[in-house]
Amino acid sequence: MLIKRKRGWEIKESEITPERYFLDRRSAIFGLAGAAAVAATGGIGRTALAQAKNAPQTSGLVAPELYPAKRNEAYQAGRDLTEEKVATSYNNFYEFGTNKYIADSAQKLTIKPWRIQIDGMVEKPIEIEAEELIRKMPVEERIYRFRCVEAWAMTVPWSGFQLSELVKFAKPAGDPKYLRMQTFVRSDEARGQRQDWYPWPYTEGLSMAEAMNELAFMVTGAYGKPLPKQMGAPIRLATPWKYGFKSVKSIVRFSFTNERPRTFWEGLAPDEYGFWANVNPAVAHPRWSQATEEIIGTGKRIPSVIYNGYGEQVAALYKDIEGGSGRKLFM
Ligand SMILES: Nc1nc2c(c(=O)[nH]1)N[C@H]1C(S)=C(S)[C@@H](COP(=O)(O)O)O[C@H]1N2
Ligand SMILES: [Mo]
């Protein structure tokens, strides 16, 4: 374990990771001794680097012929890319464990075949193989900043397609207000799902206006290759103006609905992780500040920016809802 001097602005990762909190709480409730054995670490980047192995093979992944996809130069991050070996070895994917080093266990996930259901308020429910769906879509590369609620950030060259293209394909009917997205449930492959106190499946959602925003992106690749399993293969969401937990991985179901989806993290801690979850340095998480973020892989900490710097594209979405700039939009 790395030991380093603590400076004023630093928070220990053990103090801010939600998993630590929940494991401690559940251990207290269920007497699960040792369940909270999450390493207390200092610099996130250096820890990730220390744990980094070579990126896993891309063989067996979905629609490999689509990568590298042509970069859409309209989406630049203004920051250096996070090194691939860091981004692919420091991951959050509770289905495979509550620490950040789940890349190996995630290789157990079978992603071929991968059936996707599209249902709810649509002209006609659709069931389609992920590879077939992805091949129908205009796949391109975009560089996005990514800001986790735990106050760390990455910059990733994602490949995929605009979520609005999937909405068009789905043909919503009757003017639904929300799009709900859900991850698989397979406790045989994903050991984390044997912990039955979590509200599986991992569920997230967007308002339809958010889903139609140009930034909402279905990710199917990263670093010029098909998406590795630990990053949410074969298809996951990226909403770069929101905290990272909104970016649901390994999606099997899209449902159009008038009911606001109850999300995984809302189910666990509604006072800490809200539905909107827009990045805002001025609204602290109940247990830590959101004023700054650590760029993983560098050990550097920089000021955070409202909507993660994407206000030009998304600020208008929130003018008229839930009190505009109220705390609720930023939890
Ligand atoms: N299904 C599922 N999706 C998920 C998560 C998860 O645990 N399960 N974690 C979320 C969180 S908190 C973050 S920060 C990002 C992490 O994405 P990355 O591992 O590609 O960096 O995935 C999000 N999507
Ligand atoms: Mo996160």
Side-chain angles (χ1 to χ4, degrees), residues 119-139:
D119 60 16
M121 298 169 68
V122 289
E123 281 181 14
K124 198 169 136 247
I126 297 171
E127 199 185 305
I128 187 169
E129 185 60 28
E131 195 157 58
E132 191 190 337
L133 173 70
I134 295 166
R135 284 179 176 150
K136 286 182 196 294
M137 294 288 144
V139 173

Side-chain angles (χ1 to χ4, degrees), residues 8 80 84 95-96 111 130 150 153 167 178 184 200 207 233 261 276 326:
D80 290 341
E84 181 180 358
E95 284 81 346
F96 295 100
I111 55 170
E150 297 165 355
V167 173
Y178 298 97
F184 64 86
W200 312 113
S207 71
W276 299 102

Side-chain angles (χ1 to χ4, degrees), residues 59-170:
S59 62
L61 298 181
V62 170
E65 78 284 357
L66 298 175
Y67 311 93
K70 192 174 183 316
R71 182 170 294 176
N72 183 336
E73 302 289 345
Y75 302 94
Q76 300 287 349
R79 290 180 191 171
D80 290 341
L81 293 182
T82 299
E83 261 186 87
E84 181 180 358
K85 67 171 187 282
V86 174
T88 56
S89 59
Y90 184 84
N91 301 101
N92 188 308
F93 204 165
Y94 268 42
E95 284 81 346
F96 295 100
T98 50
N99 68 42
K100 295 290 189 288
Y101 310 106
I102 52 73
D104 286 342
S105 359
Q107 304 316 307
K108 289 200 193 85
L109 183 64
T110 306
I111 55 170
K112 275 181 180 183
W114 190 273
R115 301 300 286 174
I116 290 177
Q117 251 178 280
I118 302 174
D119 60 16
M121 298 169 68
V122 289
E123 281 181 14
K124 198 169 136 247
I126 297 171
E127 199 185 305
I128 187 169
E129 185 60 28
E131 195 157 58
E132 191 190 337
L133 173 70
I134 295 166
R135 284 179 176 150
K136 286 182 196 294
M137 294 288 144
V139 173
E140 62 179 34
E141 183 178 80
R142 297 183 180 188
I143 299 174
Y144 276 175
R145 296 180 294 273
F146 180 85
R147 170 58 158 85
C148 172
V149 72
E150 297 165 355
W152 53 262
M154 296 198 280
T155 307
V156 181
W158 299 118
S159 309
F161 52 90
Q162 224 168 270
L163 175 54
S164 61
E165 295 288 334
L166 187 140
V167 173
K168 237 191 282 171
F169 174 78

Side-chain angles (χ1 to χ4, degrees), residues 119 178-182 203-205 253-257 261:
D119 60 16
Y178 298 97
L179 174 56
R180 186 179 68 207
M181 289 164 260
Q182 291 178 308
T203 299
E204 261 304 337
R253 187 173 177 195
F254 296 85
S255 308
F256 293 82
T257 168

